[in-house]
C-alpha cells in the first residue's frame, strides 16, 4: 500500500466480503512502508494480535505498525481494541464495519495522545482516558487521512511534550502490591514502600493494589490488572515498577517483557538504598555481599550443571558458557567478601572485648528505621551523627560515651534500623554488625509513637530481637516524637506498654529516661540526685 494511506479501498473491500462470508473478524498489521506483515483471523467478537517481536519499542514512542480489522456489526472500537492500541503503542487502530451487502460501511479510528494532552474526544474505554483519542465514525468511502504526515506530526508532539516535562534524571515509579492480606495492611505497606522509594531517590507517581484469590505464578497479578498497570504507566510516563512483594527471576523477566518497563521488588530497592548509604568499609562489604547473594539466582540457566562437568563423556565441547563464567566470578567475589567480613569482624570483637574489660556499661539503641535513633544519640552525647527524616539514613554503627549527671559513664551505640521483611541476604550480611548488641547491658527500644502503625513496627523489632537471641537482654521501651501527638494519648500508651516517653528534639524531656536507665544499670545503688537536667557530654 502507499505509505500515506491507512488502507486501500481494494483491501478493505476484500476484508469485509471475506468477513461476511466467514462470520469472523479479519485483521491486518501494516508497517509504515505499507507492507502487510500479519494477517489475523479472529472469531465473531475479536481478533488476537500476534507478538510483534520484529518491531521492538525501544526508545521509540510508537511501534511503527498499525492494525486494521473488521467489525461484523459495524460497531465502534471495543475496549479491548483501545487497550491493545495503548498496550502495544500502535501507530493507529482502525475498525471497518461490514455492511449488509458485504461492502465497507463506517470506519472507526483511534490513536495515542501526547502526554498531558486532553483535547479532541478522549476514549471512553475504561482505563484509557487521556491516553487514547477516538475519531467520529466516517463512511469508509468518505474517509481521508494523510497517514505518514499525521504519524510524523504525532511523534513530534509526543517528543515536545516529553521535553517540556520536568526531568531531573530520577526514576518515575508506580508502586504495586499484590497480596492476600487485608487492604489496610496493603495500604500501610505501600506507605512504607513510598518512604523507601523516596529514600532511594525515586519519584512515586502512582500506586496500585490487588487482592487476588490466588497469586499468579508468572505475573503475580491477573492479566487484566497487568494491562491496567501498563495503561497507568503510559498515562503518567512511568519508567519503573516497584513491587512490594519479593519477585522470582521468572516474574521479573516476564513482567518486564509485557510492560517494557524496568521491574524491581522491595528487596532490590532496600539493597540499592543500603548501597547508597553505606560509608564505612564494614558497611560497603556487607552491602555488596548481600547484593551478590541476591543477584546470583538471577543468573539462571545450566550454570550449576556445567560446574560439575570435568571432562570425559558428556563433558567435552565448547567449554564454559558466558553464563557459567559470570556465575563463577560472582561466587568467587562472594567468597572473597566473606573472608574480608570475617577479618573486619575480628577487629570488632577485639574492640568489644576491650570495652567489656573496662567495666563500663553498654547501651544499644534499637528500633524500626526512622524512629529517631540517631537524633536521640546526638542529643544525649552532643555528637553530630547524620540525621535525616528518611528510612535508613544511617547504616554504620556509631558509638559514643554518655555521662550521667552522677558522673557515671556508659557507652551508647546506634545500630542500623530494622524493617519488616528485612531481606534474608541483608540479615546475614549485617549479622556481624548487629552482634555488637550481644554485649549490651541494656537495649533502648525506640518507637516512633507518631506513626499510625507503630504497634506493628514494635512487633517487628521484638520478633527480630528474638530471632537473634537478644530478647534475654534487659530492654527499655521508649516512645519518641511525643511532640507530634496528643499528650493524653502518650500517657495512655505509656501505661499500656510500660514505656518511657520523650521527644529526641527536646532534651528537657530526657529526665525520666535517664533516671530509668540509671536504675536499670546500677540497681543496687541509690541515686543521690535526679537526672532531670539531662545527660552531659563527655
Amino acid at each position: 500500500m502507499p505509505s500515506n494511506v491507512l488502507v486501500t479501498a481494494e483491501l478493505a473491500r476484500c476484508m469485509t466480503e471475506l468477513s461476511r462470508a466467514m462470520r469472523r473478524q479479519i485483521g491486518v498489521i501494516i508497517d509504515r512502508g505499507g507492507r502487510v506483515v500479519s494477517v489475523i483471523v479472529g472469531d465473531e467478537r475479536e481478533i488476537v494480535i500476534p507478538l510483534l517481536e520484529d518491531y521492538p519499542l525501544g526508545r521509540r514512542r510508537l511501534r511503527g505498525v498499525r492494525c486494521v480489522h473488521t467489525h461484523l456489526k459495524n460497531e465502534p472500537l471495543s475496549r479491548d481494541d483501545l487497550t491493545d492500541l495503548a498496550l502495544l503503542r500502535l501507530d493507529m487502530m482502525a475498525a471497518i464495519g461490514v455492511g449488509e451487502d458485504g461492502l465497507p460501511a463506517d470506519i472507526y479510528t483511534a490513536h495515542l495522545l501526547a502526554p498531558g494532552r486532553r483535547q479532541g474526544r478522549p476514549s471512553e474505554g475504561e482505563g484509557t482516558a487521556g491516553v487514547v483519542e477516538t475519531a467520529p465514525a466516517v463512511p469508509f468511502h468518505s474517509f481521508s487521512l494523510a497517514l505518514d504526515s499525521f504519524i510524523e506530526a504525532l511523534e513530534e508532539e509526543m517528543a515536545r511534550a516529553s521535553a517540556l516535562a520536568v526531568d531531573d534524571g530520577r526514576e518515575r515509579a508506580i508502586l504495586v502490591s499484590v497480596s492476600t492480606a487485608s487492604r489496610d495492611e496493603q495500604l500501610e505497606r505501600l506507605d512504607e514502600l513510598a518512604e523507601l522509594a523516596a529514600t532511594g531517590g525515586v519519584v512515586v507517581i502512582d500506586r496500585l493494589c490487588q487482592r487476588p484469590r490466588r497469586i499468579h505464578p508468572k505475573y503475580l497479578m491477573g492479566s487484566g490488572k497487568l494491562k491496567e498497570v501498563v495503561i497507568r504507566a503510559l498515562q503518567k510516563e512511568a519508567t519503573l515498577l516497584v513491587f512490594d512483594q519479593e519477585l522470582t527471576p521468572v516474574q521479573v523477566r516476564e513482567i518486564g517483557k509485557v510492560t517494557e518497563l524496568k521491574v524491581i521488588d522491595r528487596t532490590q530497592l532496600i539493597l540499592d538504598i543500603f548501597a547508597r548509604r553505606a560509608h564505612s568499609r564494614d558497611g560497603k562489604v556487607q552491602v555488596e555481599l548481600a547484593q551478590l547473594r541476591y543477584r546470583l539466582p538471577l543468573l539462571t540457566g545450566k550454570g550449576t550443571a556445567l560446574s560439575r562437568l570435568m571432562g570425559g563423556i558428556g563433558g567435552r565441547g565448547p567449554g564454559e558458557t558466558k553464563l557459567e563464567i559470570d556465575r563463577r566470578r560472582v561466587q568467587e567475589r562472594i567468597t572473597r567478601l566473606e573472608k574480608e567480613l570475617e577479618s573486619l569482624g575480628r577487629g570488632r570483637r577485639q574492640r568489644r572485648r576491650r570495652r567489656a574489660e573496662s567495666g563500663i556499661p553498654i547501651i544499644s539503641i534499637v528500633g524500626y528505621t526512622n524512629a529517631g535513633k540517631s537524633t536521640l544519640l546526638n542529643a544525649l552525647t552532643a555528637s553530630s551523627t547524620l540525621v535525616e527524616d528518611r528510612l535508613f539514613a544511617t547504616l554504620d554503627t556509631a558509638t559514643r560515651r554518655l555521662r550521667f549527671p552522677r558522673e557515671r559513664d556508659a557507652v551508647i551505640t546506634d545500630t542500623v534500623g530494622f524493617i519488616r521483611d528485612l531481606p534474608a541476604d541483608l540479615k546475614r550480611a549485617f549479622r556481624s554488625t548487629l552482634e555488637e548488641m550481644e554485649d549490651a547491658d541494656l537495649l533502648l527500644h525506640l518507637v516512633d509513637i507518631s506513626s499510625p502503625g507503630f504497634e506493628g513496627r514494635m512487633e517487628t523489632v521484638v520478633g527480630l530481637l528474638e530471632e537473634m537471641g537478644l530478647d534475654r537482654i534487659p530492654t527499655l521501651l521508649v516512645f519518641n516524637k511525643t511532640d507530634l501527638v496528643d499528650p493524653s494519648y502518650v500517657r495512655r500508651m505509656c501505661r499500656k506498654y510500660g514505656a518511657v516517653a520523650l521527644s529526641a528534639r527536646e532534651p528537657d524531656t530526657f529526665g525520666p529516661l535517664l533516671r530509668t536507665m540509671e536504675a536499670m544499670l546500677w540497681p543496687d545503688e541509690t541515686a543521690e540526685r535526679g537526672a532531670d537536667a539531662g545527660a552531659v557530654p563527655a
Side-chain angles (χ1 to χ4, degrees), residues 364-367 415-419 422 426-439 443 460-473:
S364 283
I365 307 175
V366 300
T415 58
V416 62
F418 294 162
I419 195 168
L422 187 68
L426 269 180
K427 235 186 276 187
R428 287 203 302 271
F430 275 80
R431 185 173 293 278
S432 53
T433 300
L434 298 174
E435 283 174 359
E436 299 243 349
M437 292 188 290
E438 292 181 359
D439 297 326
L443 298 181
T460 297
V461 174
V462 170
L464 287 170
L465 291 175
E466 289 176 354
E467 184 181 326
M468 292 185 289
L470 299 174
D471 52 323
R472 57 179 175 75
I473 300 174

Side-chain angles (χ1 to χ4, degrees), residues 219-285:
Y219 300 119
L220 204 67
M221 64 183 76
S223 57
K225 198 68 173 180
L226 191 59
K227 286 182 180 180
E228 183 184 340
V229 170
V230 178
I231 296 295
R232 290 209 193 181
L234 186 61
Q235 287 173 328
K236 299 174 184 280
E237 294 280 285
T239 60
L240 176 69
L241 296 180
V242 184
F243 282 79
D244 186 48
Q245 288 70 35
E246 190 165 340
L247 300 176
T248 66
V250 171
Q251 288 169 340
V252 171
R253 184 177 66 248
E254 294 300 325
I255 295 172
K257 189 186 297 182
V258 171
T259 62
E260 297 186 86
L261 295 169
K262 188 188 298 183
V263 178
I264 66 171
D265 59 16
R266 188 172 182 274
T267 297
Q268 196 166 345
L269 178 60
I270 292 174
L271 287 171
D272 186 73
I273 292 170
F274 273 56
R276 290 167 182 247
R277 296 280 170 167
H279 299 296
S280 69
R281 184 58 192 162
D282 257 354
K284 289 178 180 179
V285 170

Side-chain angles (χ1 to χ4, degrees), residues 334-344 346:
I334 287 174
T335 302
R336 286 198 299 272
L337 289 172
E338 286 174 340
K339 290 179 179 177
E340 184 173 354
L341 198 58
E342 176 58 31
S343 174
L344 293 168
R346 284 196 294 271

Side-chain angles (χ1 to χ4, degrees), residues 305-326:
L306 289 173
S307 295
R308 294 191 295 269
L309 298 180
M310 301 297 292
I313 297 175
R316 301 185 182 94
E320 289 185 317
T321 63
K322 184 179 184 304
L323 172 65
E324 169 62 8
I325 292 170
D326 289 343

Side-chain angles (χ1 to χ4, degrees), residues 112-329:
L112 294 178
L113 284 167
R117 185 176 165 217
R118 293 293 185 271
Q119 300 171 1
R121 295 183 53 185
S123 141
E124 296 179 358
E126 183 179 338
T128 57
V131 177
V132 170
E133 184 175 16
T134 58
V138 177
F140 179 79
H141 292 292
S142 302
F143 179 75
S144 176
L145 176 69
L147 184 68
D148 51 358
S149 301
F150 178 83
I151 296 299
E152 182 180 353
L154 178 59
E155 288 199 310
E156 287 178 358
E157 185 182 2
M158 288 178 166
R160 285 196 302 272
S162 296
L164 290 172
V166 177
D167 184 10
D168 55 6
R170 292 184 293 174
E171 298 276 13
R172 294 166 54 83
I174 294 178
L175 308 183
V176 185
S177 174
V178 183
S179 170
T180 55
S182 68
R183 187 163 185 82
D184 287 344
E185 184 179 339
Q186 275 187 301
L187 293 175
E188 183 186 337
R189 289 179 64 95
L190 278 180
D191 287 341
E192 184 173 274
L193 190 63
E195 290 184 65
L196 285 169
T199 302
V202 175
V203 179
V204 177
I205 56 175
D206 204 356
R207 306 180 186 195
L208 274 172
C209 279
Q210 187 185 32
R211 295 180 62 229
R213 291 182 180 177
R214 65 181 186 86
I215 300 297
H216 195 289
K218 191 174 182 181
Y219 300 119
L220 204 67
M221 64 183 76
S223 57
K225 198 68 173 180
L226 191 59
K227 286 182 180 180
E228 183 184 340
V229 170
V230 178
I231 296 295
R232 290 209 193 181
L234 186 61
Q235 287 173 328
K236 299 174 184 280
E237 294 280 285
T239 60
L240 176 69
L241 296 180
V242 184
F243 282 79
D244 186 48
Q245 288 70 35
E246 190 165 340
L247 300 176
T248 66
V250 171
Q251 288 169 340
V252 171
R253 184 177 66 248
E254 294 300 325
I255 295 172
K257 189 186 297 182
V258 171
T259 62
E260 297 186 86
L261 295 169
K262 188 188 298 183
V263 178
I264 66 171
D265 59 16
R266 188 172 182 274
T267 297
Q268 196 166 345
L269 178 60
I270 292 174
L271 287 171
D272 186 73
I273 292 170
F274 273 56
R276 290 167 182 247
R277 296 280 170 167
H279 299 296
S280 69
R281 184 58 192 162
D282 257 354
K284 289 178 180 179
V285 170
Q286 289 162 343
V287 171
E288 185 182 355
L289 185 58
Q291 285 180 320
L292 291 176
R293 283 172 172 162
Y294 175 78
R295 290 172 183 165
L296 187 59
L298 299 179
L299 297 173
T300 55
K302 298 181 179 179
T304 53
L306 289 173
S307 295
R308 294 191 295 269
L309 298 180
M310 301 297 292
I313 297 175
R316 301 185 182 94
E320 289 185 317
T321 63
K322 184 179 184 304
L323 172 65
E324 169 62 8
I325 292 170
D326 289 343
R327 289 180 63 95
R328 195 181 299 280
R329 285 175 177 167

